Amino acid sequence: MDTGVLYALAHRPLYLEMFLKLYGESVAVATAVEEEIRNVARVPQVVRPRRNLVLMGACADRLVKKLDDKTITVLEPSEDSAALEAAVQQQLRELDRAAAEQRGATWHPIDTDRAKRHHGEKESILIAADVIKAGGTAIVLTNDGGASRVAWRQGVSARNLRDILAELACADPNLKEEDLLAALNEMTAHFATLPTDVRPADSSAFRCRGLAGVCRFCDPLMR
């Protein structure tokens, strides 16, 4: 899982708990993602307002508890993923370059801040690829459109927060479409923003299309 999706879920603890209950031990994050979360949680409460980390800090605090009690598993890429790492890193950089050009901004090939920003996404893709290579099933959960595209290029499926909430709707008929749409908009208002092309236009995106207990839209997610 990418850091942004976790922050978004932690912004609404009810959905975080539902997500963790539904997926259980299959929920895992990369060591880089764990580090990002813990670094934010370590920022003292009195300093957070000045650094604009009040909301993110509260989310990080909730997530650290899940990391500490092992509800969320932490994994790291295998030593065999070095070759793939270079390819993933290059693809992420190329997408950064293309996005900068589209905005008319200057892009630098060596950008420490951007490299760090993509570190969690890169490790998440590598770990998922390791799992698939070993014969397992893995999906990268990220709201970052670029990271999703890179994952798919490496043969790794990617899903976002909209997909997660849609599957929660399939699992719990008591969840209302309108509430899920409102939750999505609130959860992604400050961070983990969804790309425009996947942001739902209305609440029908969370309508279960299952038949006889099977939903072909969400059953592959995390299975």
Side-chain angles (χ1 to χ4, degrees):
M1 289 189 68
D2 187 23
T3 313
V5 171
L6 279 170
Y7 279 145
L9 285 167
H11 183 24
R12 293 289 293 268
L14 171 64
Y15 295 106
L16 174 64
E17 295 299 333
M18 293 179 68
F19 168 77
L20 294 174
K21 182 178 180 181
L22 181 62
Y23 297 125
E25 295 181 356
S26 65
V27 178
V29 298
T31 51
V33 171
E34 177 193 24
E35 182 180 359
E36 290 173 7
I37 293 169
R38 291 191 183 277
N39 284 342
V40 172
R42 291 188 189 106
V43 176
Q45 297 278 352
V46 294
V47 179
R48 290 179 182 180
R50 177 166 55 83
R51 295 181 56 180
N52 197 28
L53 287 175
V54 175
L55 178 57
M56 185 175 287
C59 293
D61 291 340
R62 296 184 187 112
L63 294 171
V64 164
K65 292 179 181 178
K66 301 300 182 183
L67 290 166
D68 287 344
D69 66 15
K70 310 300 182 184
T71 300
I72 298 176
T73 303
V74 180
L75 302 174
E76 59 182 341
S78 69
E79 295 181 358
D80 298 331
S81 63
L84 180 59
E85 179 179 5
V88 169
Q89 184 69 55
Q90 180 62 29
Q91 289 170 8
L92 289 170
R93 286 179 177 175
E94 284 300 313
L95 287 170
D96 261 350
R97 178 189 59 77
E101 290 180 352
Q102 188 174 19
R103 297 192 307 270
T106 302
W107 180 81
H108 302 283
I110 301 175
D111 188 327
T112 303
D113 290 337
R114 285 189 177 276
K116 289 181 179 178
R117 180 169 69 86
H118 285 311
H119 196 43
E121 296 157 353
K122 179 184 67 178
E123 281 199 2
S124 298
I125 294 170
L126 295 178
I127 290 168
D130 283 339
V131 172
I132 293 172
K133 185 178 180 181
T137 301
I139 294 175
V140 172
L141 299 179
T142 178
N143 280 6
D144 187 286
S148 295
R149 288 194 290 275
V150 173
W152 284 103
R153 289 177 187 174
Q154 301 303 329
V156 177
S157 298
R159 301 289 189 274
N160 56 47
L161 183 62
R162 182 192 67 172
D163 300 312
I164 293 172
L165 295 182
E167 186 162 357
L168 292 181
C170 282
D172 187 348
N174 293 317
L175 291 177
K176 297 180 179 179
E177 297 174 21
E178 296 78 10
D179 293 341
L180 289 168
L181 178 61
L184 176 74
N185 291 333
E186 180 185 345
M187 294 156 82
T188 58
H190 303 285
F191 35 71
T193 304
L194 281 168
T196 304
D197 60 338
V198 297
R199 181 171 287 277
D202 54 53
S203 63
S204 64
F206 306 105
R207 186 172 304 155
C208 181
R209 294 170 174 81
L211 180 64
V214 176
C215 178
R216 65 184 182 87
F217 292 97
C218 68
D219 278 355
L221 183 57
M222 300 295 287
R223 302 303 186 195

